[in-house]
Each structure stands twice: as structure tokens, then as C-alpha cells.
Amino acid sequence: MTRSDLVTLLANRFGQLTHRDAEFAVKTMLDAMSDALGKGHRIEIRGFGSFAISHRPPRVGRNPRSGEPVTIPEKLVPHFKPGKALREAVDQPFADRVEG
């Protein structure tokens, strides 16, 4: 599902919400989440999962073409941990998910 798919789904599901309003709501939510992660905060959405920042220490990698060692600097990266409800929904047998 893409961002535009999500906007369309929201606009269709909630008749009082225009496409522009749904787009604004999705943008506002994603911007707020990005800002919070950028400030080092943790985000938890019950039943869905949590987002946090993980630290990756510096390491030595290899250039795949030449085999030369390359120093990879440390960095902070977003990390997602799915919640129990999401894990269970994804783990359902495929036949249960197919609408017939």
C-alpha cells in the first residue's frame, strides 16, 4: 500500500472526509512521526507496533567491485517492532485472508 492508496482508502471509508482532507491528515500524521523520531523519541501505536531509533556503530565493510575495505561511519536509523496484533494478523494462514 502506498501513501496515495492510504489517502484514497481514508477518503472512501469516511464520506465526510474529502480527498484533500484525508491527504492532509496522512501528511500531518507522518510528519509528526518523522519529527518525533528525528528528536530521538519513541513512537508506540498499540496493536500496530513501535518505532524507535537504533544506533549502528562504525564498521569496516568491503567495496563489492574492488574488495577494498571501506569505513562505514556510525549512524542512527529508524527501527520498527511490530505489535502482537499485527504479528498475529500477518501470521494467519493465507486461506483465511483470501476473501471469497
Side-chain angles (χ1 to χ4, degrees):
M1 174 178 277
T2 64
R3 182 177 178 157
S4 61
D5 292 339
L6 180 59
V7 169
T8 302
L9 180 75
L10 283 173
N12 290 340
R13 185 171 291 176
F14 300 100
Q16 72 276 17
L17 201 60
T18 66
H19 186 79
R20 175 177 268 164
D21 290 341
E23 190 171 354
F24 180 73
V26 170
K27 180 182 180 341
T28 301
M29 187 180 79
L30 293 176
D31 287 347
M33 292 174 71
S34 295
D35 290 345
L37 287 172
K39 293 177 183 173
H41 298 290
R42 183 174 179 273
I43 300 169
E44 182 176 336
I45 302 171
R46 300 280 171 147
F48 182 71
S50 61
F51 298 86
I53 298 296
S54 296
H55 175 261
R56 285 194 185 161
R59 62 189 175 92
V60 176
R62 296 248 175 235
N63 180 329
R65 285 190 178 182
S66 64
E68 296 281 327
V70 177
T71 303
I72 301 171
E74 68 179 337
K75 62 173 83 175
L76 297 175
V77 294
H79 175 76
F80 175 71
K81 181 178 179 184
K84 182 179 178 184
L86 179 60
R87 284 193 315 266
E88 289 174 353
V90 170
D91 196 33
Q92 286 182 9
F94 182 73
D96 292 348
R97 289 188 269 164
V98 176
E99 295 178 24

